[in-house]
mmCIF file with all atom_site columns, all heavy atoms in Angstrom:
data_model
loop_
_atom_site.group_PDB
_atom_site.id
_atom_site.type_symbol
_atom_site.label_atom_id
_atom_site.label_alt_id
_atom_site.label_comp_id
_atom_site.label_asym_id
_atom_site.label_entity_id
_atom_site.label_seq_id
_atom_site.pdbx_PDB_ins_code
_atom_site.Cartn_x
_atom_site.Cartn_y
_atom_site.Cartn_z
_atom_site.occupancy
_atom_site.B_iso_or_equiv
_atom_site.pdbx_formal_charge
_atom_site.auth_seq_id
_atom_site.auth_comp_id
_atom_site.auth_asym_id
_atom_site.auth_atom_id
_atom_site.pdbx_PDB_model_num
ATOM 1  N N   . SER R 1 2  ? 28.224 6.118  33.356 1.00 44.00 ? 983  SER R N   1
ATOM 2  C CA  . SER R 1 2  ? 27.155 6.806  34.068 1.00 44.00 ? 983  SER R CA  1
ATOM 3  C C   . SER R 1 2  ? 27.401 6.935  35.485 1.00 44.00 ? 983  SER R C   1
ATOM 4  O O   . SER R 1 2  ? 28.047 6.171  36.060 1.00 44.00 ? 983  SER R O   1
ATOM 5  C CB  . SER R 1 2  ? 25.749 6.093  33.832 1.00 44.00 ? 983  SER R CB  1
ATOM 6  O OG  . SER R 1 2  ? 25.739 4.899  34.486 1.00 44.00 ? 983  SER R OG  1
ATOM 7  N N   . SER R 1 7  ? 27.836 8.737  43.743 1.00 53.00 ? 988  SER R N   1
ATOM 8  C CA  . SER R 1 7  ? 28.923 9.168  43.124 1.00 53.00 ? 988  SER R CA  1
ATOM 9  C C   . SER R 1 7  ? 29.626 10.395 43.809 1.00 53.00 ? 988  SER R C   1
ATOM 10 O O   . SER R 1 7  ? 28.943 11.342 44.181 1.00 53.00 ? 988  SER R O   1
ATOM 11 C CB  . SER R 1 7  ? 28.683 9.586  41.727 1.00 53.00 ? 988  SER R CB  1
ATOM 12 O OG  . SER R 1 7  ? 29.709 10.159 41.033 1.00 53.00 ? 988  SER R OG  1
ATOM 13 N N   . PRO R 1 8  ? 30.880 10.437 43.863 1.00 54.00 ? 989  PRO R N   1
ATOM 14 C CA  . PRO R 1 8  ? 31.554 11.499 44.493 1.00 54.00 ? 989  PRO R CA  1
ATOM 15 C C   . PRO R 1 8  ? 31.454 12.856 43.720 1.00 54.00 ? 989  PRO R C   1
ATOM 16 O O   . PRO R 1 8  ? 31.739 14.025 44.257 1.00 54.00 ? 989  PRO R O   1
ATOM 17 C CB  . PRO R 1 8  ? 33.034 11.224 44.540 1.00 54.00 ? 989  PRO R CB  1
ATOM 18 C CG  . PRO R 1 8  ? 33.170 10.011 43.642 1.00 54.00 ? 989  PRO R CG  1
ATOM 19 C CD  . PRO R 1 8  ? 31.817 9.452  43.492 1.00 54.00 ? 989  PRO R CD  1
ATOM 20 N N   . VAL R 1 20 ? 33.848 16.896 34.400 1.00 92.00 ? 1001 VAL R N   1
ATOM 21 C CA  . VAL R 1 20 ? 33.754 15.502 34.527 1.00 92.00 ? 1001 VAL R CA  1
ATOM 22 C C   . VAL R 1 20 ? 33.052 14.917 33.582 1.00 92.00 ? 1001 VAL R C   1
ATOM 23 O O   . VAL R 1 20 ? 33.510 13.846 33.032 1.00 92.00 ? 1001 VAL R O   1
ATOM 24 C CB  . VAL R 1 20 ? 33.135 15.283 36.037 1.00 92.00 ? 1001 VAL R CB  1
ATOM 25 C CG1 . VAL R 1 20 ? 32.782 13.807 36.113 1.00 92.00 ? 1001 VAL R CG1 1
ATOM 26 C CG2 . VAL R 1 20 ? 34.025 15.729 37.103 1.00 92.00 ? 1001 VAL R CG2 1
ATOM 27 N N   . GLN R 1 24 ? 34.544 11.970 31.141 1.00 95.00 ? 1005 GLN R N   1
ATOM 28 C CA  . GLN R 1 24 ? 33.802 10.749 30.927 1.00 95.00 ? 1005 GLN R CA  1
ATOM 29 C C   . GLN R 1 24 ? 33.660 10.430 29.416 1.00 95.00 ? 1005 GLN R C   1
ATOM 30 O O   . GLN R 1 24 ? 33.722 9.238  28.893 1.00 95.00 ? 1005 GLN R O   1
ATOM 31 C CB  . GLN R 1 24 ? 32.505 10.734 31.594 1.00 95.00 ? 1005 GLN R CB  1
ATOM 32 C CG  . GLN R 1 24 ? 32.683 10.597 33.081 1.00 95.00 ? 1005 GLN R CG  1
ATOM 33 C CD  . GLN R 1 24 ? 31.402 10.757 33.814 1.00 95.00 ? 1005 GLN R CD  1
ATOM 34 O OE1 . GLN R 1 24 ? 30.337 11.365 33.424 1.00 95.00 ? 1005 GLN R OE1 1
ATOM 35 N NE2 . GLN R 1 24 ? 31.373 10.370 35.031 1.00 95.00 ? 1005 GLN R NE2 1
ATOM 36 N N   . ARG R 1 25 ? 33.271 11.448 28.638 1.00 95.00 ? 1006 ARG R N   1
ATOM 37 C CA  . ARG R 1 25 ? 33.111 11.294 27.262 1.00 95.00 ? 1006 ARG R CA  1
ATOM 38 C C   . ARG R 1 25 ? 34.422 10.913 26.505 1.00 95.00 ? 1006 ARG R C   1
ATOM 39 O O   . ARG R 1 25 ? 34.392 10.067 25.696 1.00 95.00 ? 1006 ARG R O   1
ATOM 40 C CB  . ARG R 1 25 ? 32.605 12.575 26.616 1.00 95.00 ? 1006 ARG R CB  1
ATOM 41 C CG  . ARG R 1 25 ? 32.185 12.488 25.163 1.00 95.00 ? 1006 ARG R CG  1
ATOM 42 C CD  . ARG R 1 25 ? 32.148 13.845 24.420 1.00 95.00 ? 1006 ARG R CD  1
ATOM 43 N NE  . ARG R 1 25 ? 33.427 14.623 24.434 1.00 95.00 ? 1006 ARG R NE  1
ATOM 44 C CZ  . ARG R 1 25 ? 34.337 14.239 23.644 1.00 95.00 ? 1006 ARG R CZ  1
ATOM 45 N NH1 . ARG R 1 25 ? 34.421 13.334 22.853 1.00 95.00 ? 1006 ARG R NH1 1
ATOM 46 N NH2 . ARG R 1 25 ? 35.507 15.053 23.649 1.00 95.00 ? 1006 ARG R NH2 1
ATOM 47 N N   . ASN R 1 28 ? 35.149 7.258  27.340 1.00 95.00 ? 1009 ASN R N   1
ATOM 48 C CA  . ASN R 1 28 ? 34.362 6.385  26.451 1.00 95.00 ? 1009 ASN R CA  1
ATOM 49 C C   . ASN R 1 28 ? 34.792 6.344  25.119 1.00 95.00 ? 1009 ASN R C   1
ATOM 50 O O   . ASN R 1 28 ? 34.702 5.347  24.475 1.00 95.00 ? 1009 ASN R O   1
ATOM 51 C CB  . ASN R 1 28 ? 32.796 6.921  26.513 1.00 95.00 ? 1009 ASN R CB  1
ATOM 52 C CG  . ASN R 1 28 ? 32.162 6.522  27.828 1.00 95.00 ? 1009 ASN R CG  1
ATOM 53 O OD1 . ASN R 1 28 ? 32.395 5.401  28.325 1.00 95.00 ? 1009 ASN R OD1 1
ATOM 54 N ND2 . ASN R 1 28 ? 31.153 7.471  28.206 1.00 95.00 ? 1009 ASN R ND2 1
ATOM 55 N N   . LEU R 1 31 ? 37.863 4.114  25.137 1.00 94.00 ? 1012 LEU R N   1
ATOM 56 C CA  . LEU R 1 31 ? 37.573 2.715  25.229 1.00 94.00 ? 1012 LEU R CA  1
ATOM 57 C C   . LEU R 1 31 ? 37.343 1.912  24.045 1.00 94.00 ? 1012 LEU R C   1
ATOM 58 O O   . LEU R 1 31 ? 37.768 0.778  23.897 1.00 94.00 ? 1012 LEU R O   1
ATOM 59 C CB  . LEU R 1 31 ? 36.260 2.527  26.208 1.00 94.00 ? 1012 LEU R CB  1
ATOM 60 C CG  . LEU R 1 31 ? 36.434 2.919  27.658 1.00 94.00 ? 1012 LEU R CG  1
ATOM 61 C CD1 . LEU R 1 31 ? 35.225 2.879  28.421 1.00 94.00 ? 1012 LEU R CD1 1
ATOM 62 C CD2 . LEU R 1 31 ? 37.520 1.950  28.293 1.00 94.00 ? 1012 LEU R CD2 1
ATOM 63 N N   . SER R 1 35 ? 42.081 -2.833 22.784 1.00 95.00 ? 1016 SER R N   1
ATOM 64 C CA  . SER R 1 35 ? 41.883 -4.235 22.588 1.00 95.00 ? 1016 SER R CA  1
ATOM 65 C C   . SER R 1 35 ? 41.296 -4.852 23.860 1.00 95.00 ? 1016 SER R C   1
ATOM 66 O O   . SER R 1 35 ? 41.424 -4.238 24.930 1.00 95.00 ? 1016 SER R O   1
ATOM 67 C CB  . SER R 1 35 ? 43.327 -4.876 22.201 1.00 95.00 ? 1016 SER R CB  1
ATOM 68 O OG  . SER R 1 35 ? 44.031 -4.852 23.455 1.00 95.00 ? 1016 SER R OG  1
ATOM 69 N N   . ALA R 1 52 ? 40.915 2.038  46.395 1.00 91.00 ? 1033 ALA R N   1
ATOM 70 C CA  . ALA R 1 52 ? 41.755 2.986  47.123 1.00 91.00 ? 1033 ALA R CA  1
ATOM 71 C C   . ALA R 1 52 ? 40.844 4.117  47.554 1.00 91.00 ? 1033 ALA R C   1
ATOM 72 O O   . ALA R 1 52 ? 40.913 4.469  48.804 1.00 91.00 ? 1033 ALA R O   1
ATOM 73 C CB  . ALA R 1 52 ? 42.810 3.492  46.248 1.00 91.00 ? 1033 ALA R CB  1
ATOM 74 N N   . LEU R 1 68 ? 31.844 2.606  65.286 1.00 86.00 ? 1049 LEU R N   1
ATOM 75 C CA  . LEU R 1 68 ? 31.775 1.192  65.022 1.00 86.00 ? 1049 LEU R CA  1
ATOM 76 C C   . LEU R 1 68 ? 30.795 0.545  66.194 1.00 86.00 ? 1049 LEU R C   1
ATOM 77 O O   . LEU R 1 68 ? 29.892 -0.231 65.904 1.00 86.00 ? 1049 LEU R O   1
ATOM 78 C CB  . LEU R 1 68 ? 33.097 0.530  64.934 1.00 86.00 ? 1049 LEU R CB  1
ATOM 79 C CG  . LEU R 1 68 ? 33.029 -0.990 64.480 1.00 86.00 ? 1049 LEU R CG  1
ATOM 80 C CD1 . LEU R 1 68 ? 32.372 -1.024 63.125 1.00 86.00 ? 1049 LEU R CD1 1
ATOM 81 C CD2 . LEU R 1 68 ? 34.517 -1.425 64.338 1.00 86.00 ? 1049 LEU R CD2 1
ATOM 82 N N   . VAL R 1 71 ? 27.207 1.565  65.630 1.00 85.00 ? 1052 VAL R N   1
ATOM 83 C CA  . VAL R 1 71 ? 26.693 0.732  64.617 1.00 85.00 ? 1052 VAL R CA  1
ATOM 84 C C   . VAL R 1 71 ? 26.359 -0.644 64.988 1.00 85.00 ? 1052 VAL R C   1
ATOM 85 O O   . VAL R 1 71 ? 25.183 -1.190 64.702 1.00 85.00 ? 1052 VAL R O   1
ATOM 86 C CB  . VAL R 1 71 ? 27.588 0.727  63.239 1.00 85.00 ? 1052 VAL R CB  1
ATOM 87 C CG1 . VAL R 1 71 ? 27.106 -0.277 62.246 1.00 85.00 ? 1052 VAL R CG1 1
ATOM 88 C CG2 . VAL R 1 71 ? 27.620 2.158  62.716 1.00 85.00 ? 1052 VAL R CG2 1
ATOM 89 N N   . ARG R 1 89 ? 1.941  8.947  63.347 1.00 73.00 ? 1070 ARG R N   1
ATOM 90 C CA  . ARG R 1 89 ? 0.979  9.938  63.047 1.00 73.00 ? 1070 ARG R CA  1
ATOM 91 C C   . ARG R 1 89 ? 1.286  10.528 61.501 1.00 73.00 ? 1070 ARG R C   1
ATOM 92 O O   . ARG R 1 89 ? 2.479  10.756 61.240 1.00 73.00 ? 1070 ARG R O   1
ATOM 93 C CB  . ARG R 1 89 ? 0.961  11.018 63.967 1.00 73.00 ? 1070 ARG R CB  1
ATOM 94 C CG  . ARG R 1 89 ? 0.471  10.616 65.269 1.00 73.00 ? 1070 ARG R CG  1
ATOM 95 C CD  . ARG R 1 89 ? 0.605  11.752 66.310 1.00 73.00 ? 1070 ARG R CD  1
ATOM 96 N NE  . ARG R 1 89 ? 0.100  12.922 65.956 1.00 73.00 ? 1070 ARG R NE  1
ATOM 97 C CZ  . ARG R 1 89 ? 0.211  14.098 66.656 1.00 73.00 ? 1070 ARG R CZ  1
ATOM 98 N NH1 . ARG R 1 89 ? 0.788  14.012 67.878 1.00 73.00 ? 1070 ARG R NH1 1
ATOM 99 N NH2 . ARG R 1 89 ? -0.144 15.251 66.093 1.00 73.00 ? 1070 ARG R NH2 1
#
Side-chain angles (χ1 to χ4, degrees):
S983 65
S988 172
V1001 168
Q1005 290 173 336
R1006 187 197 61 73
N1009 282 327
L1012 285 174
S1016 69
L1049 189 56
V1052 169
R1070 292 175 44 187

